[in-house]
Amino acid sequence: MKIRVFETASQAGLYVATLMEQVILNRESPVLGLATGSTVLPCYKAFIQIANRGLDLSNTVTLNLDEYVGLDSYHEQSYCFFMEENLFSHLSVRPREIHVPFGVSENLSEECKRYDAIIAKYPIDLQLLGIGVNGHIGFNEPDSLLESHTHVVNLTSPTIQSNSRFFRDISQVPQQAITMGVQAILQSKQIVLMAFGEQKADIVARAVKGQVRTDIPASILQLHREVTLVLDEASASLLPN
Ligand code: F6R
């Protein structure tokens, strides 16, 4: 696992945006695995600048990690909306295909199968990840088992608590989400996990330097050959030198 520590989140975001650019320049049909949340914002901001200087995205496919159950794409807190608002609507050339799990499907288990078929069709070249304060990646929450395929997950209270900052009140945070499983994440050719701020320092240290455990889902990234951890000084502060 490579670890890159930057002074600020915006420097870190620029670095990750250039990794995305490299994938797009070097692959005929690039596939980017994307995430939502506060952590990826500096990266998307930098990527928009890079892309709009003439990067050709017309062959690129994107696949998002997850979506809340029950929120449609017009809901301001849906991840589909987040992606439009923070990335896609700012690009002068949109990716060829954009995929986000469909959180209002009437048949969620069919939706999970449909999403797995898309992942199988488009193997991910570069997967971006944030990390939850409880160690989740995507919405693979701490548990005694980690599911390999796309599935519906009951969100844990630390996640609901943490994500309530985006909703009017905590009762409005969906209790469930659809998430890619750990297999899709681990099958990505390259993974970049970003974490910023001191509130992530403890979980980053436990995920990276501790044992691989299902109650710290991000720790399974230790098993992947091509992972880069992109941190700011605060989130790196508990890592041993
Ligand atoms: C979002 C996702 C989550 C977030 C994580 C960190 O698509 O998959 O795992 O990356 O909850 O969220 P922030 O960045 O808001 O701290």
Side-chain angles (χ1 to χ4, degrees), residues 123-138:
I124 298 169
D125 292 308
L126 171 64
Q127 177 66 57
L128 301 187
L129 295 175
I131 181 171
V133 281
N134 61 0
H136 72 212
I137 46 175

Side-chain angles (χ1 to χ4, degrees), residues 81-101:
F81 192 95
F82 175 100
M83 292 307 298
E84 275 303 315
E85 181 147 278
N86 293 296
L87 181 60
F88 299 133
S89 67
H90 302 280
L91 297 171
S92 38
V93 179
R94 287 171 72 88
R96 189 183 82 218
E97 288 182 35
I98 291 170
H99 299 280
V100 182

Side-chain angles (χ1 to χ4, degrees), residues 34-40 64-66 79 129-133 136-139 159 162-163 165-166 199-200:
L34 301 179
T36 60
S38 313
T39 310
V40 290
N64 264 77
L65 279 166
D66 42 19
Y79 287 169
L129 295 175
I131 181 171
V133 281
H136 72 212
I137 46 175
F139 273 137
T159 298
S162 167
N163 291 8
R165 69 194 194 275
F166 300 113
Q199 74 283 8
K200 297 283 173 77

Side-chain angles (χ1 to χ4, degrees), residues 23-215:
V23 170
I24 292 164
L25 292 174
N26 292 325
R27 306 243 172 221
E28 240 169 71
S29 303
V31 182
L32 298 177
L34 301 179
T36 60
S38 313
T39 310
V40 290
L41 290 174
C43 163
Y44 292 162
K45 204 168 160 205
F47 182 75
I48 291 163
Q49 304 281 323
I50 293 174
N52 289 347
R53 272 187 240 129
L55 191 63
D56 183 8
L57 294 175
S58 61
N59 250 342
T60 297
V61 172
T62 68
L63 278 84
N64 264 77
L65 279 166
D66 42 19
E67 177 61 284
Y68 286 119
V69 168
L71 302 193
D72 66 26
S73 54
Y74 297 103
H75 191 290
E76 287 189 8
Q77 297 310 333
S78 76
Y79 287 169
C80 195
F81 192 95
F82 175 100
M83 292 307 298
E84 275 303 315
E85 181 147 278
N86 293 296
L87 181 60
F88 299 133
S89 67
H90 302 280
L91 297 171
S92 38
V93 179
R94 287 171 72 88
R96 189 183 82 218
E97 288 182 35
I98 291 170
H99 299 280
V100 182
F102 188 50
V104 287
S105 167
E106 279 175 15
N107 187 335
L108 291 171
S109 68
E110 277 307 313
E111 173 57 13
C112 292
K113 284 191 201 141
R114 184 192 73 87
Y115 211 66
D116 276 335
I118 296 172
I119 298 165
K121 182 170 174 196
Y122 297 118
I124 298 169
D125 292 308
L126 171 64
Q127 177 66 57
L128 301 187
L129 295 175
I131 181 171
V133 281
N134 61 0
H136 72 212
I137 46 175
F139 273 137
N140 292 280
E141 295 279 51
D143 208 337
S144 49
L145 292 170
L146 292 178
E147 295 214 28
S148 40
H149 298 291
T150 301
H151 58 285
V152 174
V153 60
N154 295 324
L155 299 177
T156 60
S157 43
T159 298
I160 292 173
Q161 183 68 46
S162 167
N163 291 8
S164 66
R165 69 194 194 275
F166 300 113
F167 291 80
R168 222 172 312 130
D169 66 75
I170 195 164
S171 68
Q172 301 195 329
V173 185
Q175 308 275 311
Q176 290 188 310
I178 300 181
T179 183
M180 267 187 205
V182 291
Q183 187 185 68
I185 295 173
L186 288 178
Q187 280 179 346
S188 310
K189 296 186 189 98
Q190 192 186 351
I191 298 174
V192 173
L193 182 138
M194 283 172 271
F196 306 131
E198 64 173 340
Q199 74 283 8
K200 297 283 173 77
D202 177 57
I203 194 63
V204 164
R206 289 196 291 142
V208 174
K209 296 294 175 194
Q211 291 169 318
V212 175
R213 332 163 33 128
T214 59
D215 60 353

